Amino acid sequence: MKYLLWLLKAAIFFTLFAFALNNQHEATVHFFFGTSWRGPLVLVVLAAFAAGLVVGALGMLPGWWRHRSAAAALRQPTAPSEDVADAPLTPPPVAEPSHARRHGL
């Protein structure tokens, strides 16, 4: 299995390398206000991919921070109240699954 994964990684690398060698033509990227940039097509594609990764990561940050703060709040020990300490430790009743659920439908 290890050799199969190594072979798959090598095939992906050589495919991308061949893509880079076949796309060395000049490409022009036109920005706003009449500015432009000229460079090899493979660099233009790589820059667009990297920009997409950055935008995607920045879009995920607010949710990641919310989850992280919620997890930190759950990790902090809380003092048990007296009502909870006096309650019996019995599990909640489990409802029987419906007929459709029992048969996986």
Side-chain angles (χ1 to χ4, degrees):
M1 186 69 175
K2 183 170 66 170
Y3 294 115
L4 184 63
L5 285 175
W6 185 86
L7 187 63
L8 179 66
K9 289 176 187 179
I12 291 172
F13 171 77
F14 285 118
T15 302
L16 292 175
F17 188 69
F19 173 77
L21 287 178
N22 289 329
N23 290 298
Q24 292 183 359
H25 306 289
E26 283 288 314
T28 304
V29 179
H30 297 281
F31 296 107
F32 299 112
F33 308 115
T35 59
S36 62
W37 176 65
R38 293 180 57 90
L41 182 61
V42 70
L43 287 183
V44 172
V45 171
L46 182 63
F49 180 72
L53 285 176
V54 168
V55 169
L58 289 177
M60 288 174 38
L61 274 179
W64 179 69
W65 279 332
R66 267 194 307 273
H67 284 277
R68 186 176 168 145
S69 62
L74 288 174
R75 270 192 236 118
Q76 292 177 352
T78 57
S81 65
E82 292 178 20
D83 295 337
V84 175
D86 295 336
L89 297 175
T90 58
V94 177
E96 283 292 318
S98 69
H99 180 72
R101 287 273 185 174
R102 263 186 265 143
H103 295 290
L105 297 175

